[in-house]
Amino acid sequence: MGGNLKDIRKKIASVKNTQKTTRAMKLVSTSKLKKTEEVARRSKVFANKLNEVFADICAKIKTRGLKSIESQYFLKLEQPEVQKIDIIFVTADKGLCGGFNAATIKEVVRLINRYKAQNVKVRLRGIGKKGIAYFTYNGIDLLDKAADLSSSPDADKAAAFVDSAVQDYLNGLTDSVIIVHNGFKNMISQEMKVQTILPLDFSTQIEQAKSESEGIVVEPDDEEGVILDSLARKFIHFNMYYALLDSLAAEHSARMQAMDTATNNAADLVRTLTISYNKARQEAITTELVEINAGVEAIK
């Protein structure tokens, strides 16, 4: 019985130590989330302004009677059938964040299976150690990969990474480029985001433009194409960078929730073990009393 009590005490001490660790990790994730959320919020403001300018230019082109844009970056009226697609996925470099990474991996696998069923070849480009490790372990080739980028988003590195996919698209090696990541929704939840960054949809941009906006008039036509191409590349670069920021905020949110749940579970387990310890201790005391009484009766 004494050995049993000792084992329970060890378990209680071990769970309490784990509880301290999970509580500390929750506090760290909460602090990081506040900082990352603020950066993502400011980036979202910039993204909205960029979208407005982009949409305004497209609307001005529409007023000239054009139904499509003669640029490699934009969707054509007679777009060739998609035969090859690049998927860029973003996962975390670390675990202990609940189903955050698993959700992204599951979505990527779903997309792979869907495109394969349509006889579309899929090429993967991965950001984040967890996703890279999963697909490497399962024997799925990655055309390009980057570790430590999702945990420390950098605009220049993000642009350099996505540029390889953009260049392949411009060279006709792929027909579309998609970014998949688990994004920040609020403090307690995340949402899966699948965004097609190439080709850009001309009609979608027009719908986003303000009908009464004075906008930007670009002349002459030859400069128009150059400016649109430059703006399109900036648009793609920023979307890649924002995906990293959005994913990092969601990661901290998921880890905060996971550590909070782990801390609460540890507290429940400590209570359960304490009850078991008290019961075992009472049983030991009762047994000792019975043995003492039996000894006294034997002496009589």
Side-chain angles (χ1 to χ4, degrees):
M1 187 62 70
N4 187 37
L5 289 172
K6 187 177 181 181
D7 289 340
I8 295 176
R9 282 198 298 268
K10 286 183 178 179
K11 288 180 181 179
I12 292 175
S14 177
V15 173
K16 284 184 176 179
N17 288 334
T18 301
Q19 187 180 27
K20 290 178 182 178
T21 302
T22 56
R23 186 182 291 113
M25 292 179 67
K26 176 192 172 183
L27 294 175
V28 170
S29 293
T30 302
S31 176
K32 289 183 177 180
L33 173 60
K34 290 179 180 178
K35 295 177 182 178
T36 308
E37 186 182 6
E38 176 61 22
V39 174
R41 186 190 64 79
R42 292 198 301 266
S43 299
K44 186 66 175 177
V45 173
F46 178 81
N48 290 336
K49 292 297 181 182
L50 181 62
N51 288 341
E52 287 179 12
V53 173
F54 206 27
D56 195 51
I57 292 176
C58 289
K60 288 298 180 181
I61 294 175
K62 177 67 174 179
T63 59
R64 300 180 185 181
L66 298 177
K67 295 183 179 180
S68 64
I69 298 177
E70 290 302 319
S71 169
Q72 288 180 288
Y73 293 93
F74 287 84
L75 186 69
K76 303 293 190 301
L77 285 178
E78 297 181 358
Q79 188 74 10
E81 184 179 354
V82 175
Q83 297 180 344
K84 188 179 293 185
I85 188 169
D86 272 4
I87 295 179
I88 301 174
F89 66 82
V90 181
T91 59
D93 287 326
K94 299 178 181 179
L96 298 178
C97 46
F100 174 79
N101 292 311
T104 304
I105 292 171
K106 182 178 179 181
E107 179 63 19
V108 172
V109 171
R110 186 190 70 81
L111 289 173
I112 291 174
N113 292 333
R114 191 186 82 178
Y115 285 120
K116 281 186 176 180
Q118 300 172 359
N119 294 320
V120 176
K121 184 178 179 181
V122 177
R123 307 192 309 178
L124 288 184
R125 300 174 184 269
I127 298 176
K129 293 179 181 178
K130 289 299 178 179
I132 292 172
Y134 173 85
F135 288 107
T136 300
Y137 178 80
N138 286 278
I140 300 175
D141 293 332
L142 295 176
L143 187 64
D144 197 4
K145 52 189 175 183
D148 302 320
L149 183 55
S150 59
S151 57
S152 301
D154 180 271
D156 293 334
K157 291 181 180 179
F161 184 87
V162 76
D163 265 343
S164 60
V166 172
Q167 199 57 48
D168 280 357
Y169 173 83
L170 296 178
N171 291 336
L173 300 179
T174 57
D175 302 308
S176 182
V177 180
I178 293 176
I179 297 178
V180 180
H181 76 280
N182 205 351
F184 179 80
K185 187 175 183 181
N186 52 51
M187 292 287 285
I188 60 174
S189 61
Q190 303 81 43
E191 60 180 343
M192 189 57 55
K193 297 181 180 179
V194 180
Q195 179 185 14
T196 300
I197 59 171
L198 279 173
L200 297 171
D201 194 340
F202 176 67
S203 59
T204 301
Q205 298 299 329
I206 291 173
E207 291 173 2
Q208 293 174 355
K210 297 178 180 178
S211 58
E212 299 299 326
S213 173
E214 293 183 2
I216 299 174
V217 179
V218 183
E219 295 181 349
D221 288 343
D222 58 341
E223 292 184 10
E224 186 174 86
V226 174
I227 291 177
L228 270 179
D229 284 355
S230 177
L231 188 59
R233 188 174 284 273
K234 288 182 181 297
F235 182 81
I236 293 166
H237 287 173
F238 187 79
N239 273 279
M240 182 72 259
Y241 177 56
Y242 181 74
L244 294 175
L245 292 175
D246 194 31
S247 177
L248 184 59
E251 177 193 342
H252 290 317
S253 171
R255 183 171 290 109
M256 182 186 72
Q257 287 297 114
M259 292 302 100
D260 183 57
T261 301
T263 300
N264 293 335
N265 289 341
D268 292 339
L269 185 55
V270 167
R271 283 193 291 270
T272 301
L273 289 172
T274 300
I275 292 172
S276 299
Y277 176 80
N278 291 336
K279 286 182 177 179
R281 186 166 174 270
Q282 289 172 354
E283 289 176 2
I285 293 172
T286 301
T287 300
E288 289 178 5
L289 289 174
V290 170
E291 291 175 351
I292 291 172
N293 289 331
V296 171
E297 292 296 326
I299 293 174
K300 292 179 179 180

